[in-house]
Amino acid sequence: MKIPHFIMLNLLGLSLTSYSLLAQDSSKVVQKFLKENTKQDFKVISNTQEPLKDVSIMVLESPSKERVTLLVSKDGSYIIPLTDGIAINNGNSALRTSIDGVNKYNKDMKDSSVLTLFKKHSNSVLKIESSKPSKETIYMVLDTTCPYCLQEVMHLDDYLKEANLEVLMVGILGQKAHNRAAGYYQELQGVKNRDQKIALLKKVFRAEYAPKVGNNDLATRISEDMLASGVQGVPYIIRRTTK
């Protein structure tokens, strides 16, 4: 699994004092620090100081194209990684615009990668048509041991009233999760009609589900591909409407 470049920035703040030069542009200071600590070249997408006086809002992009918003002191000696915020009203401050923009960019990029995997593993995707013709499709990445994934499956009948459903199962939450995902893919080969597909999806989320055999290679490949695409938590859900 490829570790995201920004995991090292998940502390509240990170001191760059030893790399600071008051006369040096903060962008260059931050780029130098990250280069020396990650051996990677980060590109500054923007570095907005106005209307701030002592700090700027910097957006960086890693070689993997993932972006992050930072608050950076004027001299580049201190940075604070920002991943989310709380909107008090509908105002569009520079800070909110940067964070919202970066989060949307990263989500769109991750969604694109995940949808590519649905095409790559199309023969292993559980596809269930809506109970009535629909142009909306819900793509779900699930783990049979995840309680939040179970909640989604409990609403399966409601989802299928309005949208088509496509599912890829992963086993990323331990050995039990992997075994159950492998068992699921083994059983998936034998389902043919809509009712059987729904029954299988509900079956593998039951607490007592403990398959004796399974397609371990397929479960491993799909799980590793999902992790490499940036999916670090489940359920991962994408909604798309065809025109």
Side-chain angles (χ1 to χ4, degrees):
M1 169 183 166
K2 186 176 180 181
I3 304 298
H5 295 290
F6 299 122
I7 286 181
M8 62 169 290
L9 302 178
N10 64 357
L11 300 177
L12 177 62
L14 184 58
S15 177
L16 309 178
T17 304
S18 60
Y19 297 87
S20 174
L21 293 174
L22 291 178
Q24 192 172 14
D25 180 82
S26 61
S27 296
K28 295 179 180 179
V29 175
V30 174
Q31 284 178 304
K32 178 182 177 182
F33 174 82
L34 293 176
K35 173 70 172 180
E36 293 178 358
N37 284 272
T38 69
K39 310 304 179 186
Q40 300 284 347
D41 292 314
F42 285 75
K43 180 171 65 176
V44 176
I45 301 301
S46 64
N47 188 6
T48 306
Q49 186 168 345
E50 296 297 337
L52 304 171
K53 295 181 179 180
D54 298 323
V55 297
S56 62
I57 304 166
M58 187 182 299
V59 176
L60 284 168
E61 182 175 284
S62 75
S64 67
K65 303 304 180 182
E66 184 181 5
R67 293 183 181 180
V68 66
T69 301
L70 308 174
L71 280 183
V72 184
S73 63
K74 189 174 183 178
D75 62 357
S77 65
Y78 198 80
I79 64 176
I80 302 175
L82 302 173
T83 58
D84 212 341
I86 299 175
I88 298 176
N89 54 44
N90 294 324
N92 289 317
S93 64
L95 182 59
R96 179 177 181 177
T97 298
S98 293
I99 294 176
D100 288 352
V102 163
N103 288 342
K104 184 180 185 306
Y105 173 89
N106 289 336
K107 179 67 165 58
D108 289 346
M109 183 175 65
K110 188 182 297 184
D111 284 357
S112 178
S113 297
V114 170
L115 291 175
T116 297
L117 293 181
F118 271 81
K119 293 181 180 179
K120 176 181 177 180
H121 297 288
S122 59
N123 291 335
S124 302
V125 175
L126 179 70
K127 300 177 181 180
I128 306 175
E129 293 183 353
S130 172
S131 56
K132 61 181 181 180
S134 175
K135 294 184 178 181
E136 184 178 9
T137 300
I138 302 175
Y139 301 86
M140 289 187 178
V141 180
L142 305 174
D143 186 306
T144 66
T145 62
C146 164
Y148 302 105
C149 296
L150 173 59
Q151 291 179 12
E152 297 299 329
V153 172
M154 291 174 64
H155 291 96
L156 179 63
D157 294 335
D158 292 330
Y159 286 136
L160 290 174
K161 291 178 181 178
E162 302 295 337
N164 305 302
L165 183 66
E166 296 195 15
V167 176
L168 273 175
M169 200 70 67
V170 295
I172 61 177
L173 300 178
Q175 188 60 47
K176 179 180 179 181
H178 171 79
N179 293 342
R180 286 164 63 107
Y184 162 82
Y185 283 115
Q186 185 71 30
E187 294 195 53
L188 183 61
Q189 300 175 19
V191 299
K192 301 300 181 182
N193 58 49
R194 187 176 186 274
D195 290 340
Q196 290 175 341
K197 293 176 181 179
I198 293 174
L200 175 61
L201 191 54
K202 292 181 178 180
K203 172 186 176 181
V204 298
F205 275 88
R206 294 173 187 156
E208 66 272 16
Y209 183 65
K212 301 299 182 182
V213 295
N215 193 331
N216 288 287
D217 290 341
L218 180 58
T220 297
R221 288 199 304 272
I222 292 176
S223 295
E224 289 180 347
D225 281 351
M226 281 297 171
L227 290 171
S229 74
V231 174
Q232 297 173 334
V234 286
Y236 193 89
I237 300 173
I238 303 171
R239 292 175 178 264
R240 287 289 186 272
T241 301
T242 57
K243 297 181 180 179

